[in-house]
């Protein structure tokens, strides 16, 4: 069964350092999402890609966060510099190209970030 | 904008007992509704979804959910809970035009032997 891959699974970094997360969506899924999940809460969207284009980054803290999906396949989410409040689970999800329809999203295992 | 409320933060049931997790949504049109389950330290797994048609939907692991438009609810049920069902459950709503999902804050299920 096809799965969304993420790495690393766990990351501990000091504040003010840079950190990057990688996601490989299910083959054929044109839409890719990055969510942040703070402990005890539901996931919240950071950025959404359709192929290589960003379609929603309204909740992405652009002063420190960046995301790219250069070839429309895998994606990288970067934080620089990391702050204590960035400690969370970062989840990647993918879905079929929607064309206005809503399809179910498939989630990867996540990256647990701890900023010290 | 859509929103989801899961009124129960934490529920404890005995193994073999029935389960109902509540979900209320706010959205102006017909919603796309989902239930996901998350084990500790893991990603989210889709349990079931409602897009249209029959308001009672069946999912994996013996779960079902019923869409009630009049109550703006999409409650998750299971007739007999197993210890392996202990996890966090999230209700989510999607909308055409904004394909990302809006999640509730989750309900943590604990199963007593």
């Amino acid at each position: 069964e096809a799965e969304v891959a993420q790495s690393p699974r766990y990351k501990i970094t000091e504040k003010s350092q840079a950190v990057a997360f990688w996601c490989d969506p299910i083959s054929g899924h044109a839409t890719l999402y990055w969510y942040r999940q703070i402990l005890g809460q539901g996931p919240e969207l950071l950025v959404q890609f359709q192929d290589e284009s960003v379609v929603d980054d309204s909740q992405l803290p652009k002063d420190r966060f960046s995301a790219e999906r250069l070839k429309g396949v895998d994606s990288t989410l970067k934080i620089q510099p990391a702050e204590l409040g960035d400690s969370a689970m970062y989840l990647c999800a993918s879905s079929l190209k929607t064309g206005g329809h809503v399809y179910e999203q498939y989630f990867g295992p996540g990256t647990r970030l701890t900023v010290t | 904008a859509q929103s989801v409320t899961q009124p129960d933060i934490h529920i404890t049931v005995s193994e073999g007992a029935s389960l109902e997790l509540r979900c209320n949504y706010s959205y102006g049109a017909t919603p796309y509704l989902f239930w996901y389950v998350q084990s500790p330290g893991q990603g989210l797994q889709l349990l079931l979804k409602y897009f249209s048609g029959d308001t009672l939907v069946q999912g994996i692991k013996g779960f079902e959910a019923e869409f009630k438009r009049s109550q703006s609810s999409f409650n998750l049920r299971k007739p007999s809970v197993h210890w392996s069902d202990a996890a966090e459950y999230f209700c989510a709503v999607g909308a055409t035009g904004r394909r990302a999902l809006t999640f509730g804050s989750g309900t943590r299920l604990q199963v007593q032997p």
Side-chain angles (χ1 to χ4, degrees):
Chain A
E1 181 177 306
E3 296 181 341
V4 176
Q6 288 188 251
S7 67
R9 291 293 309 277
Y10 305 92
K11 181 69 177 180
I12 300 174
T13 191
E14 295 182 348
K15 62 180 181 179
S16 78
Q17 295 299 303
V19 63
F21 314 129
W22 176 80
C23 172
D24 191 13
I26 293 173
S27 178
H29 281 193
T31 307
L32 185 147
Y33 312 81
W34 284 101
Y35 289 88
R36 178 169 60 184
Q37 184 181 23
I38 297 171
L39 192 63
Q41 299 182 19
E44 294 184 333
L45 180 73
L46 289 173
V47 62
Q48 176 184 335
F49 290 91
Q50 184 71 38
D51 299 307
E52 67 276 8
S53 300
V54 173
V55 296
D56 186 350
D57 63 356
S58 57
Q59 301 303 310
L60 188 72
K62 299 181 186 65
D63 57 335
R64 299 185 301 108
F65 285 64
S66 64
E68 61 182 15
R69 193 184 183 198
L70 292 177
K71 296 183 179 179
V73 181
D74 59 337
S75 176
T76 301
L77 178 69
K78 297 179 181 177
I79 308 175
Q80 183 174 14
E83 296 180 353
L84 294 177
D86 296 332
S87 295
M89 175 79 90
Y90 290 82
L91 294 163
C92 179
S94 69
S95 69
L96 291 168
K97 186 172 183 177
T98 59
H101 188 65
V102 176
Y103 287 97
E104 56 265 37
Q105 296 178 20
Y106 296 88
F107 284 79
T111 296
R112 169 69 67 188
L113 173 65
T114 302
V115 182
T116 63
Chain B
Q2 63 265 36
S3 65
V4 177
T5 301
Q6 293 182 247
D8 304 305
I9 297 173
H10 187 198
I11 284 182
T12 300
V13 300
S14 298
E15 190 168 16
S18 63
L19 171 70
E20 183 169 25
L21 302 181
R22 296 184 291 166
C23 171
N24 293 97
Y25 68 91
S26 174
Y27 180 59
T30 299
Y32 297 81
L33 295 163
F34 305 82
W35 275 100
Y36 284 86
V37 61
Q38 185 178 36
S39 298
Q42 301 297 313
L44 280 70
Q45 181 183 21
L46 179 67
L47 285 176
L48 48 78
K49 61 184 185 286
Y50 172 78
F51 286 174
S52 64
D54 192 348
T55 57
L56 184 64
V57 294
Q58 303 297 320
I60 62 171
K61 304 185 180 185
F63 286 92
E64 66 178 27
E66 186 171 14
F67 170 58
K68 293 185 177 180
R69 184 187 302 275
S70 61
Q71 299 178 19
S72 297
S73 69
F74 188 57
N75 294 349
L76 182 71
R77 300 193 295 248
K78 187 170 185 178
S80 178
V81 171
H82 188 262
W83 63 266
S84 61
D85 293 324
E88 187 135 25
Y89 292 80
F90 292 94
C91 181
V93 62
T96 55
R98 184 179 188 275
R99 296 180 285 276
L101 300 180
T102 299
F103 287 84
S105 55
T107 297
R108 179 163 298 279
L109 173 66
Q110 186 174 356
V111 181
Q112 288 182 333

